[in-house]
Amino acid sequence: MNATSGLARRLCALAMLTAAGGLLASACADNESSLFVRMRMARTGDCTVTCSPDEEFWTADSVDSAYRTSHSATLLVGNQIVRRGDSDVLRTETSRVQLYEAEVRITDIAGNPVEGADGASGYVVPVTGIVDPGSSDEAGYNCTEVLLIDGATMDVLRDQARASGRPVEVISTVLVRGRTLGGQEVETAEWSYPIQVCFNCSACINTDPPGCCDPEKAEAERVDCGDVDKELVTSCPGQVGAVDCRTLSNTCRDHLATFGL
């Protein structure tokens, strides 16, 4: 009788443990589906973005490491947590998500980790933004800026692109974390994005005269810049195109000379 009773207790405990494991797995799945990265927003025209799933997006970036020391992108993050606020009963909305950090790891196209100059193969960076819950079957959305390639990794990729004479292709994989106003921790599933890193593949444009590339220096040396003070001619981050020397505060030639060119 006692043996049977003990066996029953053990079977019951095992069943409860199995059920708890199933609930935990379900909770983890719900946790990753509650918050998600939708896409990388496009920057066009004046390089601004509108945070909406109906706006333009990019599927890959190109970065000239001769003129960029790191690379960031604006990501659209969605929130599928059910609304809980109710003004009729004075219940505040707790399903808004405050984003606070992103975990990033970079690999080559074969999936091998790319270590930065500091020896790390990944990093965690702070992010910001509040994502409202959606309504009915539509998620709520907002943008956040994420550092897709940090300075240490860009140093390594720059050396590789320069040595090979061709662009280096990498994958930046991002996981965004947040916390609801109700105190629940949530995170996205991993989201991966391809980036091509080249070296000196952009068209750098000097002012005329070139001494006006550094406005402060030109003013101190009384260089006559005439009507040079006009809108910058440059491409949006994530695109390879024109680089205005005034963004470098140096002539194109002198800037490239810092790399021994």
Side-chain angles (χ1 to χ4, degrees), residues 228-244:
V228 167
D229 189 17
K230 57 185 177 181
E231 185 177 355
L232 293 175
V233 179
T234 188
S235 56
C236 300
Q239 296 177 316
V240 170
V243 176
D244 194 306

Side-chain angles (χ1 to χ4, degrees), residues 206-224:
N206 280 326
T207 55
D208 185 15
C212 297
C213 287
D214 185 346
E216 292 185 5
K217 184 178 179 181
E219 183 177 357
E221 297 181 355
R222 298 185 178 181
V223 177
D224 183 11

Side-chain angles (χ1 to χ4, degrees), residues 46-66:
D46 57 357
C47 294
T48 59
V49 300
T50 302
C51 298
S52 166
D54 299 322
E55 296 298 318
E56 290 186 61
F57 62 94
W58 288 343
T59 57
D61 281 12
S62 295
V63 184
D64 190 340
S65 57

Side-chain angles (χ1 to χ4, degrees), residues 121-202:
S121 58
Y123 52 90
V124 175
V125 290
V127 298
T128 186
I130 292 182
V131 190
D132 289 337
S135 56
S136 64
D137 59 345
E138 294 294 326
Y141 291 97
N142 202 359
C143 288
T144 190
E145 194 79 5
V146 177
L147 184 65
L148 296 185
I149 302 179
D150 66 341
T153 307
M154 188 66 82
D155 288 344
V156 171
L157 297 176
R158 181 185 300 112
D159 290 343
Q160 292 179 1
R162 182 179 176 184
S164 66
R166 59 178 183 272
V168 177
E169 296 183 5
V170 296
I171 304 294
S172 182
T173 298
V174 178
L175 184 151
V176 179
R177 295 190 177 98
R179 185 179 298 112
T180 69
L181 297 187
Q184 177 188 358
E185 292 286 334
V186 290
E187 64 182 30
T188 67
E190 288 190 330
W191 176 85
S192 297
Y193 191 75
I195 304 172
Q196 190 176 77
V197 179
C198 62
F199 180 78
N200 194 25
C201 58
S202 300

Side-chain angles (χ1 to χ4, degrees), residues 63-71 154 158 197-206 234-235 237 239-259 261:
V63 184
D64 190 340
S65 57
Y67 303 102
R68 302 284 182 184
T69 57
S70 61
H71 180 57
M154 188 66 82
R158 181 185 300 112
V197 179
C198 62
F199 180 78
N200 194 25
C201 58
S202 300
C204 188
I205 302 173
N206 280 326
T234 188
S235 56
Q239 296 177 316
V240 170
V243 176
D244 194 306
C245 70
R246 286 171 290 174
T247 64
L248 309 171
S249 295
N250 209 346
T251 65
C252 300
R253 179 178 179 179
D254 289 345
H255 174 77
L256 291 174
T258 62
F259 298 106
L261 300 181

